[in-house]
Amino acid sequence: MTKGSDTFEIWFVAGSQHLYGPGPLKTVQANANHIAHAFDHAPIIPVRVIPKPIVTTADEITTVCLAANAQANCIGLIFWMHTFSPARMWIAGLKQLGKPFLHLHTQHNRDIPWATIDMDFMNLNQSAHGDREFGYICTRLNKAREVVVGHWEDPNVQGRISDWTRVAAAWQDQQMLRVARLGDNMRNVAVTEGDKTEAQITFGYTVNGYGIGELVARMDAVDSGAIEALCAEYDDTYAMAAALRRDGERREALHEAARIELGLRTFLADVGARAFTDTFEDLCGLRQLPGLAVQRLMADGYGFGAEGDWKHAALVRALKVMGTGRGGGTSFMEDYTYHLQTGNKQVLGAHMLEICPSIATDQPRAEIHPLDIGGREDPVRLVFDAHPGVALNASMIDLGDRFRLVVNPVEVVAPEQPLPRLPVARAVWKPAPDLATAATAWIQAGGAHHTAFSYDVTPAQLQQFAALAGIDYRLIV
């Protein structure tokens, strides 16, 4: 997300009415423009904020709501009642509004002008009760929205608006997202299954299956020069294991990893997918299970789910969009094994190969090791430790009659000792409030063993996301 001419937009709309006359309405518009321009230039807010004409009638309100629906790069609106705006005027527009909105409860002036305040000032600056009128009708209409309270110049207020715009951007992205499934789900696994039609109704994204041969065809068409160029990029980017270097005895395996990456990028571009899955049970025509390719695609913002887990591929993509530019990192993840030392219980998270290097604490190391699962040649992968810090695990599950988003904040810590024989990327964390409580609640909620793991997204943002989707949200703290 950047504030270029073709970026996502938030529309800033102030509500009023004609009771106060033309002079005060000009002031309302000027003040609304001032606030919107300040948000548009605020570095913390990653999208454009565009002031719109104030709305004073039901027709004006409906018009701006329908226009927002029709504008592809409008991802949401901020509504603010500068004066009292009778809420029955808002019913028709809000009922038809299909974009997320934030209700900003603020006023243009920060302080009461004690020595000069009069009834003209009071009539003009009525958000203290104008916004309550608006809030009532939103609740009456059961409209999901975020409410932010405070002066518009307050950094905390702008920070909360920034967080919400990221959720709105992720929600817009989900409406256009295509998830490509290479092969089916892992056999006999329950939690990776789900209702793809209901997911499209609920979240907006589409999920389609493709034969592995469609990837292999793209791989077969890759030029040898492109493979050499990509391997040179690997050499420059990662700490390369001796066997994979230019003169190493396993260099050809790196060539094959590059062929997979180049073919996979072409395939995803051809089908228009920004999220994807694969499965080690369907590798016909592949010499390696894709490892390095998946890691690098995630680092570029793609969503991924292993073993055909399309729900987490879409969720990883959503968190990637929400966290754009924040720098902590987001990855597909799996709870793998425990450290159950009394007073120091920890989780070691990993996967066979597919953890995103955006979460690495230092330069990843490209290595090659045997992998019995999948029955193919030894795959190349990036090995690293996740950096310490505050993060979260989020799991999207299909309970048959509803979707549920389960979220647990964690504290990522450095491994207490080196892991020289564990040839995968990994993260070690302490879940909140403690492992026993968190694991019990997670299991009771039906949370999956797969997650979207992120340093860049907050539980509050995921609660907003769940509210937009109208799904169940469970926070474990």
Side-chain angles (χ1 to χ4, degrees), residues 209-220:
Y210 299 87
I212 199 72
E214 298 203 42
L215 169 59
V216 173
R218 271 77 170 187
M219 290 168 50
D220 289 343

Side-chain angles (χ1 to χ4, degrees), residues 18-356:
H18 284 282
L19 180 65
Y20 310 108
L25 291 183
K26 290 181 180 178
T27 302
V28 170
Q29 184 70 73
N31 290 347
N33 291 348
H34 185 203
I35 295 173
H37 288 146
F39 288 165
D40 190 47
H41 289 88
I44 195 173
I45 298 177
V47 299
R48 295 294 312 276
V49 180
I50 307 298
K52 292 294 178 177
I54 62 172
V55 290
T56 57
T57 67
D59 286 345
E60 291 173 352
I61 292 165
T62 301
T63 296
V64 76
C65 289
L66 292 177
N69 289 347
Q71 185 66 36
N73 63 338
C74 174
I75 61 171
L77 303 94
I78 297 175
F79 290 127
W80 168 48
M81 304 303 111
H82 190 307
T83 67
F84 195 79
S85 181
R88 285 171 59 191
M89 297 192 306
W90 287 85
I91 293 172
L94 289 176
K95 285 178 66 177
Q96 297 178 79
L97 180 61
K99 296 291 177 76
F101 68 93
L102 179 145
H103 182 191
L104 178 61
H105 187 41
T106 191
Q107 57 190 30
H108 187 255
N109 59 295
R110 189 192 69 178
D111 303 329
I112 293 175
W114 303 103
T116 60
I117 189 170
D118 56 17
M119 282 309 300
D120 287 340
F121 181 93
M122 296 278 277
N123 285 333
L124 182 63
N125 298 281
Q126 295 188 58
S127 57
H129 66 282
D131 279 323
R132 284 172 166 80
E133 168 80 351
F134 180 73
Y136 163 76
I137 204 63
C138 292
T139 298
R140 178 75 180 265
L141 294 173
N142 196 30
K143 297 294 288 187
R145 78 278 190 193
E146 182 68 3
V147 179
V148 175
V149 179
H151 192 252
W152 55 274
E153 292 181 303
D154 186 333
N156 291 327
V157 168
Q158 293 190 8
R160 289 191 60 197
I161 292 171
S162 173
D163 283 350
W164 174 81
T165 66
R166 292 171 174 276
V167 176
W171 183 251
Q172 179 73 2
D173 184 80
Q174 295 274 289
Q175 309 313 301
M176 304 176 289
L177 181 65
R178 297 178 183 177
V179 183
R181 300 170 64 233
L182 286 163
D184 204 348
N185 299 84
M186 180 179 172
R187 301 176 193 120
N188 294 317
V189 176
V191 77
T192 57
E193 297 287 352
D195 187 332
K196 295 185 286 293
T197 300
E198 191 62 33
Q200 185 171 350
I201 293 168
T202 302
F203 302 105
Y205 59 77
T206 59
V207 184
N208 289 307
Y210 299 87
I212 199 72
E214 298 203 42
L215 169 59
V216 173
R218 271 77 170 187
M219 290 168 50
D220 289 343
V222 171
D223 179 77
S224 60
I227 292 174
E228 289 290 349
L230 185 54
C231 286
E233 181 180 329
Y234 297 159
D235 292 332
D236 293 339
T237 306
Y238 310 115
M240 195 67 61
L244 295 174
R245 294 173 188 162
R246 292 183 186 277
D247 57 351
E249 69 273 15
R250 306 300 301 276
R251 183 71 174 186
E252 199 276 333
L254 189 69
H255 287 177
E256 188 61 21
R259 186 190 307 276
I260 293 172
E261 178 178 341
L262 291 165
L264 187 52
R265 286 184 183 276
T266 300
F267 165 75
L268 293 172
D270 287 347
V271 302
R274 293 290 291 176
F276 68 102
T277 72
D278 62 19
T279 173
F280 61 83
E281 290 181 329
D282 190 353
L283 298 175
C284 184
L286 296 181
R287 290 169 53 189
Q288 298 178 17
L289 175 64
L292 179 60
V294 171
Q295 292 177 292
R296 285 172 51 85
L297 281 159
M298 270 196 286
D300 287 343
Y302 284 83
F304 174 75
E307 290 103 41
D309 193 345
W310 50 268
K311 295 189 296 300
H312 284 94
L315 185 60
V316 169
R317 171 62 184 175
L319 271 60
K320 289 281 188 182
V321 175
M322 285 185 213
T324 299
R326 286 187 161 169
T330 293
S331 180
F332 176 74
M333 187 61 71
E334 180 174 275
D335 293 68
Y336 227 107
T337 195
Y338 290 143
H339 183 64
L340 295 178
Q341 181 184 30
T342 301
N344 187 33
K345 295 181 172 64
Q346 303 174 6
V347 181
L348 192 156
H351 205 257
M352 292 184 297
L353 305 174
E354 309 98 340
I355 301 298
C356 180

Side-chain angles (χ1 to χ4, degrees), residues 399-420:
L399 292 173
D401 60 346
R402 65 197 185 281
F403 289 96
R404 172 176 290 168
L405 181 59
V406 185
V407 177
N408 182 214
V410 302
E411 178 191 359
V412 183
V413 298
E416 295 183 2
Q417 298 181 36
L419 298 162

